[in-house]
Amino acid sequence: MTTRTAETGVAAGAGGAAGGSGASVARRATGRAGAVSPGRSRTLRVRGTDQGTPRTLTLNRAREELGLDHADFELALALGEITTVGGDAGRPRVPEREIARVREAGGGTGALLARLKLVNTTEGAELLGISRARLLRLTRAGHIRPVRWYVNRYRALVWLYLADELREFAAASPALLAGRLPAAVREAAEDGEDQRPRGWRSRRVAQLVRDAPGPWEEAAVWAALLGRGITDSALPDPSERARLRAIHAALPPGRPGPLADAALIARLTTADDPDEIALGLVALADALGRARDRDPAPRRSLRRLLRARRQVTDG
């Protein structure tokens, strides 16, 4: 299937989960498209159900309490607008006090929905009072990172941005909204450069790393970003590779839509820039080092497997 790139339509985004010590590397590993932070707050890491632990709700119950649809709630979780705590079997839950916090904050749930508003390039240009072509050049050059993407019914790839972040960009960089664009932006457009996929990956990886409950989960995010070929070359231990794939076989794309084929998803979710790959390898090595120190079980499991295999062969 051929998918053309377009900037039409509006779609709600999907959720994600990821944090940890690799969050700063997550931003660096995806290049200059990282002008905006991946989330406003971090996922709380609470384990167990001690008597002193505040009452929590399932994700679906919390969503219903706030009156949000699935897409808005998932986006709020991904952006850190609503924090979660660990529940049984690793399932995240929402503290009851978080529901109260959102309701009692200025503007309540309505203000939250305003912060979650997504726009495409056409709508974003109207919001900023500039031409669509100008905003498209700025997003392609990496000045603004997309939050979501999906494939519409015309099989066109659509990138979505937070309206709030566009306003923040306009306030911080008014010179880019009028007059002649900087040479770097013009040259990027002439060269066909498009930083949007890498910018989206930087945000997605930062979210997943942010919420990773442990170093193995964090390492799995980096392995998914790098792809199977690069990860296998960097990680000779087959038991460790299997453990990482069991956690994340691929970088979760969110809600790309039913018309997004596997080839497109793989292209958009896998690192393809040399700098992005190099920094991803550094982050993978760092997370694996911490994972091995904390839980080196995969290597012991492999040794037991090889020992059992030798016993069968010798017998």
Side-chain angles (χ1 to χ4, degrees), residues 17-18 41-45 77 80 82-86 92 207 210-211:
S41 59
R42 297 172 63 85
T43 296
L44 303 177
R45 302 240 175 88
L77 293 178
I82 298 173
T83 58
T84 61
V85 298
Q207 292 167 355
R210 180 196 68 203
D211 292 340

Side-chain angles (χ1 to χ4, degrees), residues 113-135:
L113 287 171
R115 293 194 298 274
L116 298 176
K117 180 177 175 57
L118 298 178
V119 296
N120 59 35
T121 303
T122 300
E123 294 163 331
E126 292 175 356
L127 179 67
L128 300 184
I130 62 177
S131 71
R132 178 183 178 279
R134 188 182 191 92
L135 182 56

Side-chain angles (χ1 to χ4, degrees), residues 3-196:
T3 303
R4 60 187 179 85
T5 300
E7 297 294 338
T8 57
V10 180
S21 64
S24 61
V25 185
R27 290 188 289 272
R28 289 189 290 116
T30 42
R32 68 173 182 272
V36 184
S37 64
R40 291 177 170 81
S41 59
R42 297 172 63 85
T43 296
L44 303 177
R45 302 240 175 88
V46 176
R47 298 180 183 277
T49 55
D50 296 338
Q51 290 183 348
T53 302
R55 182 170 180 265
T56 61
L57 307 175
T58 65
L59 296 186
N60 194 53
R61 176 64 184 278
R63 180 188 62 78
E64 292 174 347
E65 288 288 327
L66 290 172
L68 300 175
D69 64 26
H70 288 281
D72 286 333
F73 184 71
E74 290 170 353
L75 185 58
L77 293 178
L79 296 176
E81 289 281 359
I82 298 173
T83 58
T84 61
V85 298
D88 295 337
R91 296 186 181 91
R93 295 174 67 89
V94 178
E96 194 173 48
R97 63 173 179 265
E98 215 20 35
I99 305 299
R101 181 190 64 79
V102 173
R103 286 173 171 168
E104 295 168 6
T109 303
L112 171 63
L113 287 171
R115 293 194 298 274
L116 298 176
K117 180 177 175 57
L118 298 178
V119 296
N120 59 35
T121 303
T122 300
E123 294 163 331
E126 292 175 356
L127 179 67
L128 300 184
I130 62 177
S131 71
R132 178 183 178 279
R134 188 182 191 92
L135 182 56
L136 184 57
R137 285 192 172 194
L138 292 171
T139 58
R140 284 178 175 270
H143 286 279
I144 307 165
R145 292 187 304 175
V147 177
R148 292 286 178 262
W149 60 269
Y150 75 102
V151 176
N152 67 14
R153 61 178 177 171
Y154 303 108
R155 300 184 184 276
L157 177 61
V158 181
W159 295 98
L160 300 172
Y161 308 86
L162 280 171
D164 261 7
E165 290 185 351
L166 287 176
R167 295 187 188 96
E168 292 171 6
F169 168 75
S173 306
L176 292 176
L177 303 183
R180 187 171 175 79
L181 286 170
V185 176
R186 299 196 307 273
E187 291 168 3
E190 293 169 0
D191 294 340
E193 180 180 341
D194 191 348
Q195 288 287 326
R196 290 173 297 179

